[in-house]
Amino acid sequence: MLRGTLLYLSEQSSLKRMLSGPLTRPLVSRFVAGESLNEAIESVQRLNAAGMTATLDNLGESVSTTAAAGAAAMQYIAILHAIERKGVRCNASLKLTQMGLDVDRDLCVRNVERIVAQAAQFDNFIRIDMESSAHTQITLDIFKDIFARRKNVGIVIQSYLYRSESDIRELNRLGARVRLCKGAYNEPVSVAFPDKADVDKNYVKLMQLLLSEGNYPAIATHDERVIETTRAYASKHGITPDRYEFQMLYGIRRDLQQQIVRDGYGLRIYVPYGEEWYPYTMRRMAERPANLLFVLGGVLREKRR
Ligand code: FDA
């Protein structure tokens, strides 16, 4: 129930104002690499030095004007230039609602194509994040449309959706690069498994499909059991670590991140930055309500000062 409440609150942007301030800074800075691109690039440099690659996410979603979508697209062009200039091992992840999907589909496609074309010039790659189920079909349609013209773009599939197995089979046939995650939104039982055990079981099934038939899949999870199962499945089927990568979120299970690198597996860290930290941070709290204790601890420490 707490998960549902936190996910509901993640959509109430008016709460952001109440929560902004020094008291929540420790929580936000745990999950978000800073407000500026420079700070984010410095984080990527540190990750690279620790043997990890990265994907940069300029936080923002659900823009409602053409101008805001254009500004977000320009920010991604700036990200690609910064990656190139600094020579960091990093690509970028974006959301279609940030590129204007809810304003006008063609505007969104134009913005994303511009970014993917720029990435191609730098021999780089763009990942389209997956949002709530209201956007699944259109996100896949736009992905396939762009992928037909440019191959340096990938997509995300969520194991909590019933439809995901058939989506993965189709994406594998196309040779598309898929990131597999469990799914972070509040979804109705009509479209998503209500029980976490079923989401986890489906994740393993989809991971196996991707490893056996997919194109350099990204296994995005902090679930140790799933990571262990992935490693065992790959090794049993002769799938070497250069044919897939693990992915994790900035600031989550840093111990496990280091272990994966020590064990010789590829690991990419999703590095979000920017001022629009509120919905992203609330989704991270919903995944692990114990993070609320972390915030309360921060509040108490601030009060004692
Ligand atoms: P699970 O929730 O079962 O957690 C396993 C363990 O990980 C927990 O026991 C805990 O130790 C740790 N953990 C997980 N979340 C934590 C948190 N917030 N704080 C502290 N510890 C935590 N979703 C989506 O809908 N669309 C997308 O495009 C993406 N993209 C994406 C990229 C990458 C690189 C990752 C890793 C994840 C996403 N996600 C996502 C989020 C994903 O759907 C999911 O919500 C989270 O990864 C949490 O699920 P786990 O797989 O980690 O498992």
Side-chain angles (χ1 to χ4, degrees), residues 130 158 179 182-184 196 221-222 284 287-288 291:
M130 189 56 82
Q158 300 149 322
R179 171 201 293 153
K182 290 188 186 176
K196 189 166 182 310
T221 183
H222 316 89
R284 303 294 77 84
E287 281 153 9
R288 193 160 178 266
N291 287 332

Side-chain angles (χ1 to χ4, degrees), residues 66-174:
T66 304
M74 286 308 291
Q75 185 58 225
Y76 272 87
I77 301 284
I79 288 176
L80 290 168
H81 279 278
I83 290 172
E84 185 67 10
R85 213 171 39 245
K86 299 283 183 178
V88 284
R89 287 179 296 132
C90 184
N91 59 36
S93 294
L94 56 78
K95 291 184 173 44
L96 293 189
T97 62
Q98 186 183 13
M99 296 297 136
L101 181 59
D102 295 338
V103 183
D104 174 50
R105 180 195 164 124
D106 290 345
L107 163 81
C108 172
V109 172
R110 277 198 307 278
N111 281 336
V112 179
E113 279 226 72
R114 224 165 87 220
I115 296 165
V116 175
Q118 182 64 71
Q121 274 190 24
F122 291 146
D123 200 17
N124 208 334
F125 178 82
I126 298 296
R127 177 81 61 181
I128 299 177
D129 287 342
M130 189 56 82
E131 300 178 69
S132 73
S133 61
H135 295 105
T136 308
Q137 189 58 52
I138 194 164
T139 301
L140 281 162
D141 290 345
I142 291 178
F143 165 73
K144 283 184 250 173
D145 181 22
I146 297 176
F147 184 72
R149 293 186 291 281
R150 299 193 176 270
K151 299 298 174 224
N152 63 318
V153 59
I155 186 73
V156 178
I157 293 292
Q158 300 149 322
S159 73
Y160 63 17
L161 295 186
Y162 305 132
R163 59 175 288 164
S164 290
E165 179 176 345
S166 97
D167 288 333
I168 284 197
R169 287 189 188 279
E170 187 188 358
L171 291 163
N172 281 350
R173 274 195 300 277
L174 292 174

Side-chain angles (χ1 to χ4, degrees), residues 30-31 55 95 128-131 156 158 160 179 181-185 196 200 203 220-224 247-249 252-253 268-270 283-285 287-288 291:
R30 178 176 169 189
F31 296 122
T55 185
K95 291 184 173 44
I128 299 177
D129 287 342
M130 189 56 82
E131 300 178 69
V156 178
Q158 300 149 322
Y160 63 17
R179 171 201 293 153
C181 67
K182 290 188 186 176
Y185 297 82
K196 189 166 182 310
D200 292 355
Y203 192 102
T221 183
H222 316 89
D223 185 332
E224 278 189 81
Q247 294 192 354
M248 294 195 192
L249 300 176
I252 296 185
R253 290 299 311 266
R268 186 176 300 277
I269 304 296
Y270 186 101
R283 286 199 291 274
R284 303 294 77 84
M285 303 248 269
E287 281 153 9
R288 193 160 178 266
N291 287 332

